[in-house]
Amino acid sequence: MTQLKRLDISNNAIREIPRNIGELRSLVSLNAHNNQISYLPPSFLCLNDLQQLNLSGNNLTVLPNGIHNLFSLKEINFDDNPLLRPPMEICKGKQLYTIAHYLQRADQRDEKILEKIFNIVANNITETSFKFLCQKLNLVISETDISSKSTVSLSERVRQALDRWKTDSNNLSLTTDALRDQLTQALTMIGAYEIMDKITALKLFTCAIKF
């Protein structure tokens, strides 16, 4: 129904929005309040004509970083959701600019934290643990990596490998949070507990800082 302009699916028990909702290119108004929706699919950000959006009374905890792409939005309502990113107080004003600005800053902050985690891993991991980490992250050690082993320090090789892994993962549209979770899970699986202690300390420190 590509010509559909108004859609009201409120007061049901809908758990998810269809992944291909972005094909409703003409949609101007979407009312989906009082459901059980917990996730907005990537194609949702293709609703460029959307002007009114009501997702109040659902189970959303995170809003997509690219929500600023919905530049036609004039009325938004995310009330009564257990939102963490951005927190509910940011959404109460129902201003797209405020929400998008928060998400942009949060994304920049997460990028910096991930960079710090990469440095912690690179500066503290052993050669043996690095091999196991590559296996868990499905990182292939190239012939170039092996030949440069004698001339490039371990920390540099680890950093290069993590940067390569990040680039490959970004191509799969993985979020910074997802990358961090994957890395910490892999470190736990290989028993890199000292590194995990340092990462935990970093998380506690960054949680104490407001931005």
Side-chain angles (χ1 to χ4, degrees), residues 36-152:
Q36 300 172 25
I37 298 165
S38 59
Y39 170 73
L40 298 179
S43 73
F44 190 86
L45 301 177
C46 296
L47 299 174
N48 293 327
D49 290 342
L50 193 65
Q51 296 179 21
Q52 298 173 314
L53 174 63
N54 187 350
L55 282 166
S56 60
N58 280 282
N59 296 326
L60 292 170
T61 57
V62 175
L63 296 182
N65 290 340
I67 197 169
H68 63 273
N69 292 324
L70 300 178
F71 47 81
S72 297
L73 267 181
K74 296 176 181 177
E75 298 178 24
I76 53 177
N77 191 343
F78 295 112
D79 290 351
D80 301 318
N81 279 279
L83 279 166
L84 300 173
R85 181 188 176 97
M88 198 59 241
E89 57 264 25
I90 297 294
C91 298
K92 280 183 179 177
K94 298 179 174 59
Q95 296 294 319
L96 180 62
Y97 171 79
T98 304
I99 295 170
H101 183 62
Y102 177 96
L103 290 172
Q104 183 182 26
R105 289 188 63 191
D107 198 41
Q108 292 171 350
R109 180 174 183 257
D110 287 347
E111 281 286 341
K112 290 179 181 178
I113 292 173
L114 186 62
E115 286 294 309
K116 289 181 182 296
I117 291 175
F118 279 7
N119 287 334
I120 289 173
V121 175
N123 293 329
N124 293 277
I125 200 166
T126 64
E127 188 75 54
T128 302
S129 294
F130 176 46
K131 290 179 182 177
F132 288 135
L133 182 64
C134 287
Q135 291 174 4
K136 295 299 180 185
L137 296 178
N138 295 320
L139 259 173
V140 178
I141 301 177
S142 65
E143 292 295 328
T144 306
D145 293 332
I146 296 172
S147 61
S148 65
K149 188 173 179 180
S150 58
T151 57
V152 180

Side-chain angles (χ1 to χ4, degrees), residues 6-26:
R6 300 184 181 278
L7 176 62
D8 190 335
I9 53 173
S10 56
N11 300 308
N12 287 286
I14 295 172
R15 294 182 179 275
E16 61 182 41
I17 292 177
R19 285 180 294 177
N20 60 343
I21 191 170
E23 295 176 19
L24 300 180
R25 302 284 182 176
S26 303

